[in-house]
Amino acid sequence: MAKGDKFYFDNFAECTALSKKAAEYLVECLENYKPENFKEMLEKMHEIEHSADIKKHEMDKALAKAFVTPVDREDLDMLSHNLDKVTDRIEEVLQRFYIYNIQTIDESVIQFAKNLVKSCEILSEIMAEFENFKRSKKIQPLIVTLNDIEEECDKLYLESMRKLSITETDDVLTIVSMRKVYECFESCADACEHVGDSIGSVIMKNT
């Protein structure tokens, strides 16, 4: 591997570490859910998301100047964009709780957030291996595991949405708001899976 190539792989590893940090903080916020602390929670989450944006900008600058890259420039740009989207989506989940002024939560949202942590942990493992993608035998099984976690999220999404539909309550606003929250969780899980699928495609193209 050329000396300059390490930047790209390190950048991806740093991005996944920030996604994991954001997911872990989301779990912390939900396990200790206090709507009166939303300003503090949103500020701290945004700090993490902003750090991820900086990593994305660093990648953009490097790609703009690079003459030779370890894989296609377009693929590196795509991966950087997809990784950044994961952290963005995690921040959006917390923002939804604030926007809809949700006062109480149940265990399903905490479980969803914990699944996001699992997904981000797998992404971190994948990126730790990515610079050796031509020889690594670990990446493909990790991508499969990532897909399995996304399937768990699909099941949780279906059950949570059904529970909302059969709940006897006159509080229509809460039902609609929680639907939006679950949709955001599902979008976040999809974003994690999309990174894994993108990595699989890049490896296929370059080996």
Side-chain angles (χ1 to χ4, degrees):
M1 181 176 64
K3 184 178 179 181
D5 291 350
K6 190 166 177 55
F7 162 81
Y8 303 103
F9 300 110
D10 286 348
N11 181 279
F12 289 150
E14 289 160 357
C15 287
T16 53
L18 287 166
S19 294
K20 179 173 175 284
K21 184 177 181 180
E24 288 173 338
Y25 184 61
L26 179 61
V27 171
E28 180 183 331
C29 291
L30 297 178
E31 287 186 328
N32 304 279
Y33 194 68
K34 295 179 181 178
E36 64 270 22
N37 293 340
F38 255 117
K39 182 177 180 181
E40 177 186 341
M41 290 189 288
L42 290 171
E43 286 179 353
K44 185 170 179 179
M45 181 66 84
H46 188 66
E47 287 176 6
I48 300 171
E49 188 275 336
H50 182 64
S51 296
D53 281 344
I54 291 173
K55 292 300 171 186
K56 174 71 168 62
H57 296 323
E58 289 175 357
M59 177 64 74
D60 290 343
K61 288 174 64 176
L63 290 174
K65 296 187 295 183
F67 182 68
V68 178
T69 55
V71 298
D72 287 348
R73 186 189 311 265
E74 292 78 11
D75 288 335
L76 293 173
D77 182 60
M78 173 199 58
L79 286 175
S80 180
H81 175 76
N82 291 345
L83 283 169
D84 185 59
K85 191 179 291 186
V86 171
T87 310
D88 287 346
R89 291 287 184 269
I90 294 170
E91 182 184 30
E92 285 175 19
V93 170
L94 189 61
Q95 290 172 340
R96 290 290 175 97
F97 283 95
Y98 173 70
I99 290 170
Y100 297 115
N101 193 32
I102 293 171
Q103 295 297 302
T104 60
I105 61 173
D106 63 24
E107 183 61 30
S108 62
V109 296
I110 298 174
Q111 185 57 52
F112 230 130
K114 288 181 177 179
N115 282 348
L116 295 181
V117 172
K118 290 180 188 177
S119 293
C120 290
E121 287 174 344
I122 297 298
L123 288 177
S124 291
E125 290 184 52
I126 290 172
M127 284 307 174
E129 282 284 310
F130 189 44
E131 65 181 272
N132 301 311
F133 69 88
K134 291 184 179 181
R135 298 183 300 278
S136 177
K137 295 181 180 180
K138 296 180 181 179
I139 294 178
Q140 195 56 45
L142 287 169
I143 292 174
V144 172
T145 300
L146 192 62
N147 292 339
D148 289 342
I149 298 171
E150 196 277 335
E151 286 188 15
E152 289 180 26
C153 290
D154 282 345
K155 293 176 183 176
L156 184 57
Y157 172 77
L158 287 173
E159 291 305 315
S160 298
M161 293 291 271
R162 175 172 167 75
K163 184 178 178 181
L164 286 175
S165 297
I166 63 178
T167 297
E168 294 183 8
T169 178
D170 295 327
D171 191 356
V172 177
L173 180 59
T174 296
I175 293 174
V176 172
S177 298
M178 286 307 301
R179 282 181 178 273
K180 296 292 186 182
V181 168
Y182 287 126
E183 287 169 1
C184 198
F185 268 119
E186 174 71 358
S187 177
C188 194
D190 288 344
C192 293
E193 183 184 41
H194 188 51
V195 173
D197 291 343
S198 299
I199 292 167
S201 297
V202 170
I203 292 172
M204 191 179 302
K205 283 176 60 178
N206 290 275
T207 52

